Amino acid sequence: QALSHSLVPHALPPSLTPCYEGQWEPRSSSRCVPIPAGMALCQNIGYATMRMPNLLGHESPGEAVQQSASWLPLLARECHPDARIFLCSLFTPICLDRFVSPCQSLCESVRDSCAPIMGCYGYPWPDILRCDQFPANHLMCISSVTNTMPQASCRDCELEEASSAKDVLETFCRSDFGNLAQFSLASRLQVLKHGPLLGGQIRSRLQLWLERDASCVRNMTRRQPQGGTFLVTGTVQGEWLVVNKAFAWNKHARNLMTAARKWKQHRCRG
């Protein structure tokens, strides 16, 4: 999926009046509306209403929903733990008496981690999201809530060789889930480990990952464009599955087959 270049206006929306750095005072045309159920980007963010027009100049909830969907592939890459906070502060600003923008440091942190991932899709960080337009941390603004640096890259999900069955079993132990997925696309799924999810939830989450994590799937299927069977492992982060290892499953993958056969009886250390 493509990331849209037309996500943010080049100037302050006419519905906002400059107040002081980092904040804008809504004009009389501004209103509070429920965050649309169809806005997947900003569900379960701690508040239920947003101001319209928003900080991106979208005049209607429908326009905001349409534009926000362009960012879902980036969010699926888990490029930064605060990317959702940053984007939702712009798409769905909380309904207060003043608009509060993201801090410059939050923008820079998200940009530095996510811009390289946008590059995987062939898109630069939009100039209209340049971080120097946002206020410094000592002013009232939305700051970063985590110092964790993500590991996402353009090489995520490139197929690996299983050096031994023992190594594969240790990968299972370190992961929340492990599945055998037959692609075109996930038409068959065998759950070896479902972690905190119910076994039935894995299929829908994996399908969501397939739809949104285009570069991961491309890396996995580069040598088998018509599809195939893959062993994928990773972690569960909220509503997302984050795949961090992938192996091609075929008649030559003896270490994988041995590990899968032993898994039910295997006891992880620690």
Side-chain angles (χ1 to χ4, degrees), residues 4 10 26 45 84 91 93 95 106 111 115 119 129 131 133 165 180 193 202 213 224 228 234 238 246 250 254 263:
S4 172
H10 290 267
I45 55 174
R84 185 189 298 271
F91 277 100
C95 207
L106 172 59
R111 179 201 62 196
L129 276 186
C131 296
Q133 68 183 307
L180 276 174
K193 180 182 181 182
I202 288 288
D213 202 343
Q224 298 173 262
N250 53 53
R254 295 180 179 177
W263 172 243

Side-chain angles (χ1 to χ4, degrees), residues 45 59 66 76 78 89 105 108 118 138 141 173 178 183-184 205 208 212 234 252-254 257 269:
I45 55 174
E59 297 288 340
Q66 182 182 30
E78 296 289 335
S89 70
S105 62
E108 290 171 344
M118 291 178 67
H138 66 277
C141 56
C173 289
F183 289 76
S184 59
R205 300 290 178 89
L208 190 65
R212 294 181 178 174
H252 304 295
R254 295 180 179 177
M257 295 180 181
R269 293 177 293 180

Side-chain angles (χ1 to χ4, degrees), residues 7 9 11-16 52-60 63 90:
L7 294 168
L12 192 66
S15 59
L16 305 181
M52 276 275 109
N54 61 17
L55 283 173
L56 307 182
H58 302 139
E59 297 288 340
S60 70
E63 183 183 4
L90 302 171

Side-chain angles (χ1 to χ4, degrees), residues 31-36 45-51 92-96:
R31 64 197 187 280
C32 292
V33 299
I35 295 174
I45 55 174
Y47 57 93
T49 58
M50 57 186 278
R51 277 211 173 269
T92 59
I94 190 170
C95 207
L96 300 174

